[in-house]
Amino acid sequence: MGLPRDSFRILHVSTGNVCRSPITERLTRHFVRERLGILGGGLIVESAGTWGHEGAPMEANAETVLADFGADASGFTGRELLDEHVIRADLVLTATRDHRAQVISMGHSAGLRTFTLKEFTRLVKAIDPTTLPPLEEGVVTRARALVRAAAALRGWLLAPNAEADEVYDPYGAPLTFFRSIGDEIHQALDPVVTALTGVPAKT
């Protein structure tokens, strides 16, 4: 069953879907709500793991990181990444380059809409926001244009080094490391959410 064209689905992918991708999913939702007052306009944000613990709860330290940002961690259950998730996604943001390669290897013409989170941030920062459709045309229209613009830039704006596009796995690490990963994710998401919504973060 095809989704209506008035939706835009963001899929965050990590390994177990209990640490990085849940944090990224729930922070995306939180920051969009902060900017727009709603998580609406057809924007759907979800996550899955390449070795996802199906039905597993989020790691307790990941919940704490979300609480630090005032984001909602409730009701989360882990998912294993399936073909249908990739098929439905309009934008796939992965924690690492390995995850990106795994998603692209699944096929479904995923290459042009799959990026590591930090790669997408780098590309988005290079896009002139005045070239994107105004929010009055809807967040879905703006989001589709943003992904097309980022894909067009990818070959021209390379990472300074291999590690620049990685968000490392905090699984099993102490809370201090989880918090540092949460800060990395926050810094990467901020320009993306600003570009999506056209609204900068409140200072």
Side-chain angles (χ1 to χ4, degrees):
M1 186 173 103
L3 279 170
R5 292 299 289 173
D6 60 352
S7 66
F8 185 91
R9 193 176 288 261
I10 301 172
L11 176 66
H12 293 293
V13 174
S14 63
T15 303
N17 195 215
V18 291
C19 299
R20 289 168 292 180
S21 50
I23 291 172
T24 315
E25 173 198 317
R26 294 305 177 93
L27 284 183
T28 303
R29 292 185 189 180
H30 179 67
F31 295 142
V32 170
R33 282 194 190 100
E34 278 190 335
R35 307 290 213 282
L36 299 180
I38 53 166
L39 179 64
L43 203 60
I44 301 161
V45 187
E46 55 191 2
S47 63
T50 54
W51 292 88
H53 301 297
E54 190 73 34
M58 194 185 307
E59 280 287 297
N61 282 346
E63 290 192 2
T64 301
V65 167
L66 289 172
D68 289 345
F69 288 101
D72 181 15
S74 65
F76 181 86
T77 53
R79 303 191 306 174
E80 183 175 352
L81 180 67
L82 302 175
D83 286 284
E84 66 193 60
H85 300 145
V86 177
I87 291 166
R88 290 191 315 217
D90 297 287
L91 171 62
V92 184
L93 296 176
T94 70
T96 69
R97 291 167 298 142
D98 281 349
H99 297 132
R100 182 184 65 196
Q102 286 178 266
V103 171
I104 292 171
S105 74
M106 294 169 74
H108 316 303
S109 305
L112 288 176
R113 51 197 166 90
T114 303
F115 308 80
T116 75
L117 171 62
K118 288 185 174 180
E119 173 192 22
F120 194 66
T121 302
R122 186 174 68 252
L123 298 170
V124 162
K125 282 178 168 179
I127 295 166
D128 180 352
T130 64
T131 64
L132 298 172
L135 194 60
E136 290 75 32
E137 293 183 26
V139 71
V140 169
T141 300
R142 188 177 174 94
R144 292 191 194 287
L146 185 66
V147 172
R148 285 194 301 270
L153 276 177
R154 178 150 42 191
W156 299 95
L157 201 63
L158 302 178
N161 54 65
E163 286 68 42
D165 285 343
E166 306 280 294
V167 175
Y168 290 107
D169 192 355
Y171 185 78
L175 180 57
T176 50
F177 188 66
F178 266 84
R179 283 188 161 132
S180 72
I181 293 297
D183 287 340
E184 271 187 52
I185 291 170
H186 170 221
Q187 288 169 25
L189 278 177
D190 185 66
V192 172
V193 175
T194 297
L196 276 173
T197 61
V199 180
K202 296 183 179 74
T203 52

